[in-house]
């Protein structure tokens, strides 16, 4: 399968990159638990190839869309790899070819990451959602536009992931009722003056890196959300320094009471883990939901 993709890239890129374009060698690199990944050394530089022959057909098309939107909004505040080519899964396989970002050390990267995220979050259109439905890992995300953040989070995030769970995992009527009761209370628990911010959407420590040119974002699940959605997953897994948080808060001060809402937003990611992996994530989510009832 890899050789088929390499041959396809060799043919497809010879026109935009020049007739002298040649893929010289490939090296397997860590691509996470879902995809395969290679570093491609070519006559036009180094590229990053990620592919999967058993993914959703449009997985990498949607990832490319997220990366392009992040890059457009971030400007020079954060690095986002340039999309060279993305392919819908067919008989060849789905893949995405990206600019390769070399890891490295640049002074003040932690603070630059915080200020860069603040720059992203300050981009605030009028509605919540995204241009197409996309994916958080392998999980579909419903991104219909909505003027109300409370409705978007209730219907497109908690309600939707619960429907996925009901169709593929065990969940008792009692546990389901806990989440339904919480959804009914969201109108009282979440702010009504939320602004839509562009977020990475799956921002844990494995989805950003410090490159030789500055902090960079990778593997997004982007959409326009209340920015507290982003902050919740950043806190959920850790991996962000006090310098990053301080720089963010200085550039875009956090709203009063945001920490009280963090676990409500974390429920989406915990339920997603249950949907993907099963195990004890469901009871963890139930325990959190009960705190807000």
């Amino acid at each position: 399968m890899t050789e088929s993709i390499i041959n396809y890239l060799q043919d497809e890129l010879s026109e935009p990159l020049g007739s002298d374009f040649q893929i010289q060698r490939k090296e397997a690199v860590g691509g996470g638990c879902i995809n395969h990944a290679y570093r491609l050394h070519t006559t036009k530089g180094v590229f990053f190839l990620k592919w999967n022959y058993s993914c959703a057909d449009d997985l990498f098309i949607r990832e490319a869309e997220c990366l392009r939107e992040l890059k457009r909004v971030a400007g020079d505040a954060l690095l986002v790899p340039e999309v060279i080519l993305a392919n819908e899964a067919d008989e060849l396989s789905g893949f995405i070819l990206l600019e390769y970002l070399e890891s490295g050390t640049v002074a003040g990267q932690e603070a630059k990451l915080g200020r860069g995220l603040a720059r992203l979050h300050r981009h605030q259109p009028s509605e919540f959602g995204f241009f197409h439905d996309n994916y958080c890992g392998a999980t579909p995300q419903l991104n219909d536009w909505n003027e109300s953040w409370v409705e978007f989070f209730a219907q497109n995030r908690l309600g939707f992931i619960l429907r996925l769970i009901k169709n593929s995992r065990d969940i008792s009527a009692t546990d389901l009722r806990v989440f339904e009761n919480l959804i009914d209370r969201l109108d009282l628990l979440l702010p009504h003056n939320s602004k839509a911010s562009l977020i990475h959407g799956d921002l844990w420590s494995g989805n950003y890196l410090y490159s030789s040119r500055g902090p960079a974002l990778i593997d997004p699940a982007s959409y326009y959300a209340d920015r507290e959605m982003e902050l919740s997953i950043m806190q959920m897994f850790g991996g962000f320094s006090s310098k990053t948080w301080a720089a963010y808060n200085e550039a875009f001060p956090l709203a009063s009471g945001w920490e009280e809402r963090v676990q409500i937003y974390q429920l989406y990611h915990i339920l997603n883990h249950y949907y993907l992996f099963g195990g004890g994530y469901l009871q963890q989510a139930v325990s959190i939901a009960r705190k807000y009832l």
Side-chain angles (χ1 to χ4, degrees), residues 5 25-26 37 40 75 99 150 170 203 244 259:
I5 297 173
R25 61 189 172 92
K26 65 181 186 295
L40 300 184
E99 166 191 13
V150 175
D170 291 331
L203 192 54
T244 297
E259 290 177 302

Side-chain angles (χ1 to χ4, degrees), residues 139-142 154-165:
T139 304
Q141 287 194 141
L142 187 63
Q155 298 169 14
N156 294 36
R157 289 299 174 261
L158 288 188
F160 185 69
I161 194 68
L162 286 168
R163 290 197 295 276
L164 293 178
I165 288 170

Side-chain angles (χ1 to χ4, degrees), residues 10-224:
Q10 183 69 64
D11 293 339
E12 197 71 13
L13 296 176
S14 60
E15 183 174 339
L17 297 183
S19 58
D20 58 341
F21 171 74
Q22 291 289 326
I23 297 173
Q24 298 165 315
R25 61 189 172 92
K26 65 181 186 295
E27 298 171 344
V29 295
C33 61
I34 298 174
N35 303 304
H36 308 279
Y38 284 88
R39 183 189 297 115
L40 300 184
H41 295 264
T42 82
T43 53
K44 298 296 184 178
V46 183
F47 299 97
F48 180 79
L49 172 67
K50 186 166 59 171
W51 63 276
N52 193 322
Y53 56 83
S54 59
C55 63
D57 289 351
D58 62 345
L59 180 74
F60 295 111
I61 301 297
R62 301 283 78 86
E63 179 178 346
E65 183 178 56
C66 293
L67 287 167
R68 287 173 175 137
E69 184 72 351
L70 288 171
K71 191 174 186 68
R72 181 185 74 82
V73 174
D76 59 0
L78 287 170
L79 277 174
V80 179
E82 182 180 353
V83 177
I84 310 301
L85 191 63
N87 190 66
E88 190 165 299
D90 50 26
E91 66 278 0
L92 179 63
S93 169
F95 70 80
I96 188 168
L97 183 69
L98 303 170
E99 166 191 13
Y100 183 76
L101 301 179
E102 195 73 49
S103 61
T105 302
V106 176
Q109 293 233 54
E110 294 164 303
K112 288 179 181 177
L113 176 60
R115 289 192 294 270
L117 291 173
R119 164 82 169 266
L120 275 186
H121 295 170
R122 280 192 175 280
H123 182 67
Q124 297 180 324
S126 60
E127 291 186 297
F128 303 92
F130 207 57
F131 309 106
H132 297 97
D133 295 343
N134 54 25
Y135 302 87
C136 186
T139 304
Q141 287 194 141
L142 187 63
N143 290 328
D144 297 338
W145 294 105
N146 196 314
E147 293 182 353
S148 165
W149 168 244
V150 175
E151 288 183 10
F152 181 90
F153 182 67
Q155 298 169 14
N156 294 36
R157 289 299 174 261
L158 288 188
F160 185 69
I161 194 68
L162 286 168
R163 290 197 295 276
L164 293 178
I165 288 170
K166 284 168 62 179
N167 290 333
S168 63
R169 294 281 180 189
D170 291 331
I171 182 168
S172 69
T174 300
D175 288 344
L176 187 59
R177 196 173 304 113
V178 169
F179 296 117
E180 290 171 345
N181 290 340
L182 175 65
I183 289 172
D184 288 341
R185 283 182 51 79
L186 288 178
D187 196 54
L188 303 174
L189 297 170
L190 301 182
H192 288 254
N193 59 348
S194 292
K195 301 292 185 181
S197 295
L198 179 61
I199 68 171
H200 174 283
D202 191 16
L203 192 54
W204 62 289
S205 60
N207 284 347
Y208 76 90
L209 57 89
Y210 290 140
S211 79
S212 58
R213 293 158 50 207
L217 300 182
I218 58 174
D219 295 340
S222 295
Y223 55 101
Y224 285 89

